[in-house]
Amino acid sequence: MAKAIAAITSASSAEYFSKNLQQVGFSSYTKAILTTIKEAVDNALDACEEAGILPEVSVVVERLGEAHAKGADRIRICVEDNGPGLPIDDVVKVFGEYLASSKFGRGRCTRGQQGIGISAVTTWAQLTNARGVTVITKTDKMRQAVKCIAEVDIKHNKGVMKDKETIDWDRPHGLSCEFIIDARLQLQGEGGLLAYLNGSTLVNPHLTLKYKILDQDWVEVPRVSEEAPEIPDATEPHPHTMKLGEFIAHSHLFGRVKVGAWLKKGFSRVSDGTLTELIREKFASKGLLEKSVDAATEEDFKKVFSGLQKAKLMAPSTKSVLSIGEAGLAKSVQRLGNVDFFSVVSRKPTICDFKPVLVEVAIARMTDRGAGAEEQTATLLRFANRVPLQFDKSACAMTKAAESVNWRTYGLNQPKDSLPLGPYIIAVSTVSPFIKFKNASKETVDASDELVEELRRALIQAGQKLSKHIRREEKEADLEEKRRHIEQFGPILVDGCCRIVKAKKERRQKALEGLAKLLGREAHLAEKELKEAEVHAEAALQELQEVTGILPSSESELAAKPAFAKATAGKQLSLEGMEEKDESKKFKKEAKSKGK
Amino acid sequence: MAKAIAAITSASSAEYFSKNLQQVGFSSYTKAILTTIKEAVDNALDACEEAGILPEVSVVVERLGEAHAKGADRIRICVEDNGPGLPIDDVVKVFGEYLASSKFGRGRCTRGQQGIGISAVTTWAQLTNARGVTVITKTDKMRQAVKCIAEVDIKHNKGVMKDKETIDWDRPHGLSCEFIIDARLQLQGEGGLLAYLNGSTLVNPHLTLKYKILDQDWVEVPRVSEEAPEIPDATEPHPHTMKLGEFIAHSHLFGRVKVGAWLKKGFSRVSDGTLTELIREKFASKGLLEKSVDAATEEDFKKVFSGLQKAKLMAPSTKSVLSIGEAGLAKSVQRLGNVDFFSVVSRKPTICDFKPVLVEVAIARMTDRGAGAEEQTATLLRFANRVPLQFDKSACAMTKAAESVNWRTYGLNQPKDSLPLGPYIIAVSTVSPFIKFKNASKETVDASDELVEELRRALIQAGQKLSKHIRREEKEADLEEKRRHIEQFGPILVDGCCRIVKAKKERRQKALEGLAKLLGREAHLAEKELKEAEVHAEAALQELQEVTGILPSSESELAAKPAFAKATAGKQLSLEGMEEKDESKKFKKEAKSKGK
Amino acid sequence: MSGRIDIKGISVEMCERLLRDLERAKRPTLEATKCTLDNAEYNPKVGYLTPGNKKVITELNVSSVQKMSRAIFILELLLRNLEVGATNTKREIYYISKGEVKHNPALKPLDFTDQNESDEIIDFICEMLECYREDVNCFANDRGGQTYSQQLVVVETMPDGSKATIDLSKLGTAPFQPKNRPQDLKLKARKKIDFCLIVESEGTANTLVNSGFTRRHPCILLGAQGVPSNAVRGWTKLIQDQLDIPCYFFGDLDAYTMQNIFRTLKAGSAGSLIRNSDFSAPEVRFLGVLPEDIKRYDLPDYAVRENDVSESRALKKARDALDNDPFFKDKKNKGVSDILNWLLKNKRRCEQQAYFSVNPRDPLMPEKIIMEKIKNKNFV
Amino acid sequence: MSGRIDIKGISVEMCERLLRDLERAKRPTLEATKCTLDNAEYNPKVGYLTPGNKKVITELNVSSVQKMSRAIFILELLLRNLEVGATNTKREIYYISKGEVKHNPALKPLDFTDQNESDEIIDFICEMLECYREDVNCFANDRGGQTYSQQLVVVETMPDGSKATIDLSKLGTAPFQPKNRPQDLKLKARKKIDFCLIVESEGTANTLVNSGFTRRHPCILLGAQGVPSNAVRGWTKLIQDQLDIPCYFFGDLDAYTMQNIFRTLKAGSAGSLIRNSDFSAPEVRFLGVLPEDIKRYDLPDYAVRENDVSESRALKKARDALDNDPFFKDKKNKGVSDILNWLLKNKRRCEQQAYFSVNPRDPLMPEKIIMEKIKNKNFV
């Protein structure tokens, strides 16, 4: 009755991914370009930072002609960096083997994590154009650079090197990779290449980026920070982040140490006090803690694990997260275009879902968005470990948080449950050694309640800072309006009265003077309020200067015309009573009830 | 300047997936139960069908207590089948190794494809409960069954067998697997376990399913078809579905054959005529086609590939897709509950995005949905290769197609661009050897325009069939109304006229008789229309009986009261002029303009 | 008026025919004049919209039996009213029918669930009998038409044959208010009357009278109060026919005024095709506001708010009217359709009160402009 | 009317004060009576709503300087009108102001962008001067109040001292139409007049007159045409005061009629606190439809559609009125507030035409019911 059973064969991960490239960023020809550049740039930046080098990255996108496939062009993409270069043996691993990585599961805030992305790009090039990646590499130990083609042996998930040759390359070290792929270029829009490039410069103040796209001229965006970020080392795992199976498996990494020692050394936040508590609560005996890990039974592990889950432990350390910093953001934000004013917030690292997370926000008001910008939705830029996320934004934690903020409180227009309107850029950066993406193509960060709340707080603080500027603008407009009113209506009112009572010219003159005094006094009051607002802004500027060492671009204009000061940054505010304290709200209500 | 570069290490696919279990169906505790059962049942059904065995599957879900983790229970899940069983050596491959499969990339309509799912379940059990899966297997070659524990060696992506023992098992062959996991049971709702179980029985008419959930009694849903579906073999790839790189790689599988022979043998739809065309259009020389594949240069391949892309080829064969069939669906739909009437449509296999696809639809009107059901949104069940899809429905091709149909045309209520309202179940099944899922957890089918259009046509046809029933119900109501009208208004009209013309009693009587004749004749007409509608329905029933050998459950009632006949099924309709021909639309308009 | 046509006779005849058909088991039909624009004809010599040949034929069948029964039922009520000389509004008819049903449960199926239903039946009856609503003693509210004149004398012959003579110059500041039926009125002029001015806004009519317009000019001045009621339409017709004086309409420059107010006053409406002969005054001319007045008098005008529902509907209707309305299509009314075209093209509008802005210090300026326009034949 | 109060004097005084303050650089203020319900007082002996002590004080500041300038500007226009005796509607005033601005660019800042803005200023002026709109020669459309009587004679004294005498029995079927200002009218009765009946629906008033109500009963019958206009309110007040006859209001039984129509006729409105003394007739009684009439005459009534926006708003307003409206709170008007309470409790309504259903074959039935109710003092 039963047929012969088909043989079971093992496929390599390369086979899996090559069949499922849509899951790792190649679901369309337009995304193919973006993914290719993104993976190459991510690797370049990671390598530079790892090596403590200030990155200088160039990107070239060239159209070679029509592709074989309909709806696509043959596109050449070349990404070069001044990083440490790859030892020649590593080239095929990095470009030609899936899940080969120096970073896999290490719990650090690097952009790349798992060693899939760039191998997928090579696969895409192979599939669409029958040729892998052309790599040039030079480390500082090599006298000449090596050029070769790397391909994926899909059947065996192994890198293959072809056409290796030695060449001269006029730089001490670096890496260049060139892909020829079927793809289609989208320049503008949220999912466009420019959004990616701008986003990358925003969250990487230390990056000098050059790019040449099709027939356009080279563009250079110089770095605004001379410090390469220090990527913190990973910390030991926190027991509350583990599952039982992982816990037991973890013990095997430590060989013949005693259980007690293993617990203290192998985990964060397990102290002698914790061990005492385990004994007191009968989750472990003294004897067990003295036993070798190898000798512990499964039952032992289960009990200790249960005990640790119930123990009150300090939250995990947040030392392992990397911060861009307010200073860097403040400088970098100026590279986005003509910035009218902006605010930046760098939260303290915190724990969400038992994992360390750091959230940073920059909001900038742009002056070059043209007519109608006030009615358009603000631009939201999302970053995960300093990589721009450009797709599927609606389900993302960062989008949800931004939509949940009541931006009207800060003087912005906002449709219900939506992003605010106006020529604003809202950049949200989430950095964590353990970002939970919703899918393998890393486009959306899973929206856990804790993470959304943390993001929301950062956005609220940035909104509060921003509102100081907006408030000052309103005060200026108000003063202006008051002056206009007086000039316009005063004489009309006095003249009308004079005609009705048939008054003489002298009375008119006197009344006009009286009126000017009266209303001038009031305008004076508004001027005083404006002054006060300016003093606040000045103080904020001062502080910014102390933090960053620079003043925003329009510094000179600022000195000449203090009423139009341009930037602020501040220390992290306490959140207590935040909503109540907000004064801009009150101010707006008053403004509304007037003038009717 | 540059730091030491970290070493590159290779991770196994097991490491990758175990770090990313949220991508393969373990993003929440509730999904964990569903994914576990789904993967085990999928494997059971695939194995039975492969072996030509009518499947009998049992599912047990038991709560063992609280889990270590908050918000979860310790759940035991056991799935048993009467399939061919696994040879003992294969057990660890299937349960303990990622990407080990008999089906990987074979282009057949099996439920499982890539060998990820069940290994992920084992991983989840290991992670949350420090123990893999307990398997009992017996093939018809084994005298006794073997019981063992299989686990994943995550570091090396290898299956590990533990505690192997021989036991007695009272069945000729079969497989049982038991997982103990941290999870949480959701029974009701779109994402609930019952929806999964009901869905599975709907699209697997040949399946007998037994289940016991927590403390509830055993439920048995017996099969309604005695034929195990024949899973068609894969066909050779079609050149238009390939990318250049794949095309070249494909040549290596064929050794030393001539290029011409390779093209004809290695691909679907490449004929002698195609080769002639290639020569005529100068994409290949006669010489090249006579050359051995091994001797062809990359340039040769590229030219031939271009030529094939430009050549007009027949669409790929659709022989490789599997059909549930209208008969099977018609029987299976009765297992959903108390079905009032229903319609089923099994489209011919077709090509979407160069890949063979078969779409089938069943729509049933339920009588047991309680009050308010008319205002609730109809239930949409989605199936991909006969596996229920339960999450992320909004982006799915099947949802999009169902929302795009104008259900009002068929007598259903429907808010704009939404699913229709009412106690209906709309089941849509997509079967294809190459279903493009949006993510690795296989919850959403990518909505390409071609696929959505094909789905839409199937739904429209099912709607048309359904509308016959709805139309008959309207006709019944209409006849009733007509009779009521005559009785009520006739005498009033005649009396009024008589009073105005001061007519005598005799005239009144005569006029009333005349009126009765006149209007009676018309009611008679309505009765005739109803009869005709019934005859149509009868014919459809007849046809159904021929196809399925059964009549729907309410057969006896049907015989007694032909006006309330209950089911229909029909041959595939031509789509030409479909919208124009639709008569129910016209009918409804008339009904509206009446009675005013 | 009640004697204009023999309602009773026509009704009996119709019911007789209906009954005869029924007796022979023949399907009876009711014929009604189709009162819609596609059955409206315009003969420039006649000057108002008349019904074409299209009939709405209702055949007795299961779907129409309710409507027919209701029609006969209401017809009986109306005939009774005519017999005793009672009059009613539509709403009263609705309640009378409620009372009939209450007193006779056999009529229950006829019961109207709201007034719209009985109104529809009354209209249907009028279309069948080709009569006015007033012919069956069913009257709408009197509205508009308040009239001032120092020369006009109205003589009404009462049902008892006596005559009432009303000298409009003797009413103090009070106006004469015409009724909804063109009563048996005879109009006389104590002195020569030069013209009749119909003012769209009742309020502005008042302002003109208060400022002495009717004292300075031998004329008749009346306010239309928006879309002219039957009273205003019939009354203007009487003035035109009996006094043979030029009539001018002074209103806003906008699509709504041109189509709904002026066209109705001058040529009747599609809904009242049967009545237009007595309820339209084809000689009325449109005095303004004319498009050229905006420049000539530097009037403040407005852009049509195209996102305003009613304004954009009026524009759409204007476009339709130019294509389909026989009144606007006839070259005799080119002046009026030119204005519609201008409105569609320029999307501007100007209100009649804009004349008050010409010289704000001279309250008589609007009067002067009106007289100047009449003198210079500056109207269409 | 124009001489009722010294508008000019009050205005000059106000401007003088304003100017004097300005000369001293003192912040001037303008005081206006607060015309809202929370400043309405009701003294049962007076019988209508009067203003309390609350004033709206506008102090000159940057925010109010525009409003004040506009007020003085419009005031000047109005004073000019009074001087030359010109009258205008609100819309005309709007256009006159447009003209002023056009001719004098210095006034550009005052320019109104739409009529609402100038209307608001006119109301503000009236509240400051504590005068009627009519006092500053600004008139609304005449609306409603068409009056029939066989006994009433109206004598109007014209500005030139001459008198116009109008005998309502001599107008044929035409009504007497009162104007929006309680003119200098003297009312006389040719024969004894028993009562005055104010009918909510103009159409039903007509039906009653047509059927001979005014011929059979020595009375005055007038139609209110919905919410009573100033004409109707002032005219009813004149009839009440000069003829000293009982006045009855016959209208629908619903919350809207009780609050917006009957209350306004009897005691004025909160918005017109200043004018109520001349524009309300406190002796008017509510004849029906009374809640008990529904049973007594078996009238068809309706459930209030609570999901209808306007009906539910009327109910909500009724609830507020019972809590806050001094008219409804005073025990003198308990009968009326009992009806409001009944409406709130039962959520039913009944239209006045329901009387026509009582005996559908007798066109005089509504008249009989009305007379019976008057005779039996069956009113509140």
Side-chain angles (χ1 to χ4, degrees), chain A residues 6 53 62 64 84 94 96 103 118 165 209 229 237 261 264 292 331 375 387 428 442 458 465 472 497 532 568-569:
Chain A
I53 297 167
E62 196 180 341
L64 301 181
V94 168
K103 308 156 198 166
I118 202 73
E165 57 177 318
L209 179 69
K264 286 199 293 178
S292 160
K331 292 172 199 158
E375 272 70 51
V387 179
V428 187
K442 300 200 285 191
K465 288 185 181 183
R472 192 179 49 218
C497 286
E532 278 165 16
T568 191

Side-chain angles (χ1 to χ4, degrees), chain A residues 482 489 499 507 514 522, chain D residues 16 22-23 61-62 66 76:
Chain A
K482 285 178 177 173
F489 293 104
R499 277 194 305 271
R507 290 193 70 183
E522 208 171 331
Chain D
E16 177 62 40
L22 282 179
E23 286 172 305
N61 58 34
V62 171
Q66 184 192 42
E76 216 185 333

